[in-house]
């Protein structure tokens, strides 16, 4: 509706669900009196910051398609789901576990993030970082409860940074990066629960016997590039793995 001023909302102190998407808002301070708010959507505005007065019951916020540059000032204790898709964020610094101890889903697709260093939220279960410019993975060892990690369309050439402390990670999407060698894929052996891996549109996916090369290194996979692993495929990969181990001995 082209709104620039929402001060009228201050008096509606019992509001729980507010959608202010597709306006021209630059200031959310009138929302600080809505202490019962559970769900807030402010997509497609002119916001340059996600900082707000702490709201004690807020559980879901979406700031997609604004002009936000950093993650400072987000301090809602019951927040479980935070979306900042298609903004101008360059760093994941600024989120604090002490202030966001309930956060489980973080959506940061389509920003300008170069590294995962400094992501201080250790209870995350789902992390979406596709369509950034990430070239290095750092600080992931703290994400012990992470189950899903999306890194599609980034600049990764090496897969350092994964850790055996990531004992819940089941789904990893690395589509459209720059991973060339199966030695890099081998580094994913540290992930004990990895079941589904997406590697298509990487240089290594063009190699002959690509699926068998990946499966022989990651035998616990159940799905590669969205296709289930067939029984005969698994057996062939297992044979390759055994042969390789014997040669090493």
């Amino acid at each position: 509706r082209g709104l620039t001023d929402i001060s009228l909302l201050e008096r509606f102190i019992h509001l729980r669900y507010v959608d202010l998407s597709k306006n021209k808002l630059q200031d959310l301070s009138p929302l600080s009196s809505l202490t019962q708010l559970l769900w807030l959507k402010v997509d497609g505005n002119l916001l340059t910051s996600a900082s707000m007065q702490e709201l004690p019951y807020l559980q879901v916020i979406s700031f997609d398609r604004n002009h936000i540059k950093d993650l400072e000032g987000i301090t809602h204790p019951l927040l479980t789901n935070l979306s900042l898709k298609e903004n101008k964020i360059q760093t994941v610094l600024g989120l604090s576990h002490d202030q966001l101890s309930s956060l489980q889903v973080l959506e940061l697709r389509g920003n300008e993030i170069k590294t995962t260093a400094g992501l201080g939220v250790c209870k995350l279960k789902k992390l979406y970082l596709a369509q950034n410019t990430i070239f290095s993975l750092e600080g992931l060892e703290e994400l012990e409860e992470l189950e899903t990690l999306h890194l599609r369309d980034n600049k990764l050439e090496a897969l350092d940074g994964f850790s055996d402390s990531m004992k819940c990670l089941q789904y990893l999407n690395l589509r459209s990066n720059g991973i060339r060698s199966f030695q890099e894929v081998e580094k994913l052996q540290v992930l004990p629960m990895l079941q589904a891996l997406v590697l298509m549109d990487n240089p290594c996916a063009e190699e002959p016997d690509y699926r068998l090369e990946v499966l022989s290194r990651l035998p616990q996979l159940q799905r590669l590039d969205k296709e289930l692993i067939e029984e005969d495929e698994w057996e062939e990969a297992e044979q390759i793995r055994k042969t390789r181990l014997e040669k090493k001995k």
Side-chain angles (χ1 to χ4, degrees):
R1 296 183 173 275
L3 297 176
T4 57
D5 180 6
I6 53 169
S7 53
L8 186 71
L9 290 179
E10 285 178 324
R11 68 186 72 172
F12 297 101
I13 59 170
H14 297 295
L15 280 173
R16 286 172 168 74
Y17 300 88
V18 173
D19 187 347
L20 292 160
S21 299
K22 298 183 185 174
N23 283 291
K24 295 181 179 175
L25 300 176
Q26 298 181 58
D27 176 25
L28 298 179
S29 58
L31 300 179
S32 58
S33 60
L34 307 186
T35 54
Q36 306 300 305
L37 202 61
L38 300 175
W39 184 95
L40 173 64
K41 193 166 178 162
V42 284
D43 300 344
N45 279 281
L46 303 174
L47 299 166
T48 56
S49 171
S51 181
M52 288 174 66
Q53 180 78 25
E54 185 177 302
L55 292 168
Y57 302 112
L58 191 59
Q59 294 168 30
V60 176
I61 316 181
S62 181
F63 288 107
D64 298 349
R65 297 181 301 284
N66 278 279
H67 305 289
I68 294 165
K69 294 182 176 141
D70 60 49
L71 300 175
E72 301 288 341
I74 304 172
T75 60
H76 315 288
L78 293 186
L79 192 66
T80 61
N81 197 316
L82 173 61
S83 185
L84 288 140
K85 263 192 296 196
E86 296 173 39
N87 277 280
K88 309 215 176 284
I89 297 161
Q90 296 184 3
T91 172
V92 293
L93 289 166
L95 292 180
S96 157
H97 173 65
D98 295 337
Q99 294 165 324
L100 292 170
S101 56
S102 303
L103 192 64
Q104 294 186 5
V105 181
L106 178 57
E107 168 65 90
L108 290 167
R109 263 182 286 200
N111 280 283
E112 299 165 12
I113 298 163
K114 294 181 173 64
T115 173
T116 54
L119 188 61
V121 191
C122 51
K123 296 284 185 187
L124 279 181
K125 293 190 184 302
K126 297 185 178 184
L127 176 57
Y128 299 94
L129 290 165
Q131 297 165 327
N132 279 279
T133 55
I134 296 168
F135 61 87
S136 77
L137 299 173
E138 298 170 73
L140 296 182
E141 64 278 354
E142 293 177 29
L143 304 179
E144 294 185 8
E145 296 184 24
L146 195 68
E147 296 170 1
T148 298
L149 177 56
H150 273 253
L151 288 160
R152 179 178 175 172
D153 287 310
N154 276 285
K155 307 285 182 192
L156 291 168
E157 294 183 4
L159 293 177
D160 302 306
F162 290 100
S163 163
D164 57 6
S165 64
M166 300 174 77
K167 50 189 179 293
C168 297
L169 191 66
Q170 296 177 28
Y171 179 92
L172 176 59
N173 192 327
L174 293 165
R175 183 174 182 172
S176 298
N177 277 274
I179 298 151
R180 298 185 174 282
S181 79
F182 295 116
Q183 278 68 37
E184 292 304 319
V185 176
E186 208 161 288
K187 293 173 183 176
L188 301 178
Q189 288 174 351
V190 297
L191 301 170
M193 291 297 289
L194 188 64
Q195 294 175 11
L197 175 65
V198 184
L199 262 180
M200 61 175 76
D201 301 329
N202 279 275
C204 66
E206 304 301 317
E207 294 290 326
D209 294 328
Y210 151 69
R211 284 179 67 84
L212 290 174
E213 288 291 346
V214 173
L215 291 176
S216 64
R217 288 166 168 83
L218 302 172
Q220 81 277 27
L221 284 185
Q222 296 177 15
R223 194 179 286 266
L224 176 60
D225 295 341
K226 305 189 177 175
E227 287 181 33
L228 284 168
I229 309 301
E230 300 293 336
E231 182 73 27
D232 56 345
E233 204 175 20
W234 186 85
E235 285 172 4
E236 196 175 342
E238 185 66 12
Q239 193 56 51
I240 292 169
R241 197 165 71 87
K242 282 179 181 167
T243 306
R244 200 173 284 147
L245 281 171
E246 282 165 16
K247 276 184 185 173
K248 276 185 185 174
K249 282 177 187 173

